[in-house]
Amino acid sequence: MPKYHDELDAVLRALADPTRRAVVERLAKSPAVVSELAAPFSMALPSLMQHLRVLENAGLVTSQKHGRVRTVSLRPGALDVLHLWLGEQRTPAEHQADRLGVHLTRTTPKGT
């Protein structure tokens, strides 16, 4: 079991919900205020805040409050643990196929 399994579990639990995945996808573009994040969803603001709390507890997002406005950002490197785990799940056969693809790309003449 990898040393980072608790962090991975939290990230996977947070991303299991489609609303939270949509929020992460939106925040990947740029930070946003909560009201902007809530706009595409048909839910009350307190419900969205619960989703944001789950994402924040999983270490995926951070938020800052300035006056009455809360801005949410995707934490840099937040998905690295997921990327690392997925990379470890690749089978040796996939690695060999990757190497074969690179070899064929390098050795195949461009005119064929």
Side-chain angles (χ1 to χ4, degrees):
M1 182 71 64
K3 294 178 184 177
Y4 52 84
H5 69 275
D6 290 340
E7 183 182 355
L8 176 64
D9 288 348
V11 168
L12 289 172
R13 270 192 301 276
L15 294 176
D17 183 88
T19 299
R20 292 192 288 265
R21 285 194 306 273
V23 168
V24 168
E25 287 174 18
R26 168 54 191 86
L27 292 174
K29 296 173 186 166
S30 66
V33 296
V34 172
S35 59
E36 183 182 331
L37 291 172
F41 305 108
S42 58
M43 67 177 64
L45 200 55
S47 296
L48 182 68
M49 291 303 294
Q50 287 180 331
H51 284 292
L52 292 175
R53 243 184 322 280
V54 171
L55 291 170
E56 198 161 5
N57 290 341
L60 294 172
V61 302
T62 60
S63 66
Q64 293 182 332
K65 190 169 184 178
H66 298 285
R68 300 180 79 186
V69 177
R70 181 171 295 279
T71 303
V72 183
S73 304
L74 188 62
R75 189 177 62 79
L79 299 173
D80 289 352
V81 67
L82 184 58
H83 180 73
L84 176 64
W85 181 80
L86 288 171
E88 290 174 355
Q89 304 317 304
R90 294 187 65 187
T91 65
E94 288 175 308
H95 291 295
Q96 288 177 337
D98 289 347
R99 287 194 300 272
L100 176 61
V102 168
H103 173 73
L104 291 174
T105 301
R106 289 180 182 163
T107 59
T108 303
K110 292 186 180 195
T112 56

